[in-house]
Amino acid sequence: MRARPARRALVAALESLESLESLVSLVSLVSLVSLVAVAGCGVRPTGVVRAGDPPSGAVQPAVTTILYLVRGDRIAAVERPGGALSPSAALALLAAGVTAEEEARGLTTDVPSGAGPFSVTADPPGHLEVALSTPVGELSALAVEQIVCTAADATRRDSTEVTLVGAGRRLGPRTCAEADLAPDDPPEKPPSS
């Protein structure tokens, strides 16, 4: 009858051995993962590396949008920061009015806020047709010049012709060269802060 307890002890020892093997496998796996984590990606630390002189050369100027605003009885080119805009987006800025800084510098707009939204099509090349939400006949001469010059400038092409359309009436084609611009003024830049 002693064989049974010995047999039970042997079975228990074998089961413990299987658990021990599992434990050894788990410990080996954890050790391997830890070793890989500690080793990192193989990049060794270095000191300061001299790379030469700093970059030099021409700095790319900031891209701005040119709007034509009213100063006195003429229009003047004024830069607005923020990047180049499509003609319709630039015209929407005209209809939105001047900024506080522009107003402080004596600039206004004659483009009524109800003139937009604007629809601008380019056909044929070199010619823009600007559809307004207000009748063309209700625009002042300065408002017409503002719209023509701002739309033409937004195309970044010289001698763009612009025709205004609103309430079944057409005006144009006109070019910015026909406008009464403030004499020899480069585009006004907003004051630096």
Side-chain angles (χ1 to χ4, degrees):
M1 302 265 166
R2 287 182 136 220
R4 285 189 186 236
R7 183 185 244 175
R8 283 187 191 149
L10 182 62
V11 169
L14 286 175
E15 287 176 356
S16 295
L17 186 59
E18 286 177 6
S19 295
L20 184 62
E21 286 176 0
S22 296
L23 181 61
V24 168
S25 295
L26 182 61
V27 168
S28 297
L29 181 61
V30 169
S31 298
L32 181 61
V33 169
S34 298
L35 181 64
V36 169
V38 169
C41 61
V43 177
R44 295 185 179 125
T46 61
V48 175
V49 177
R50 305 293 292 167
D53 294 330
S56 63
V59 176
Q60 192 74 317
V63 179
T64 59
T65 295
I66 304 289
L67 299 181
Y68 287 81
L69 299 175
V70 176
R71 183 186 326 119
D73 60 349
R74 294 182 168 173
I75 62 171
V78 178
E79 286 185 359
R80 284 247 183 117
L85 297 176
S86 68
S88 58
L91 293 173
L93 289 177
L94 278 182
V98 296
T99 65
E101 292 174 2
E102 291 164 345
E103 187 174 24
R105 293 185 323 208
L107 297 164
T108 61
T109 183
D110 265 19
V111 178
S113 60
F118 299 90
S119 173
V120 180
T121 55
D123 188 40
H127 184 266
L128 295 178
E129 184 171 288
V130 177
L132 303 136
S133 299
T134 58
V136 172
E138 293 180 9
L139 297 175
S140 70
L142 286 173
V144 170
E145 290 178 354
Q146 282 184 270
I147 293 169
V148 167
C149 291
T150 298
D153 198 275
T155 66
R156 308 270 187 230
R157 291 185 180 161
D158 293 333
S159 70
T160 299
E161 292 183 331
V162 179
T163 300
L164 305 182
V165 179
R169 186 166 170 217
R170 299 175 70 79
L171 179 63
R174 299 185 73 161
T175 65
C176 192
E178 300 168 31
D180 189 16
L181 294 172
D184 298 89
D185 283 344
E188 289 190 19
K189 298 183 182 202
S192 300
S193 30

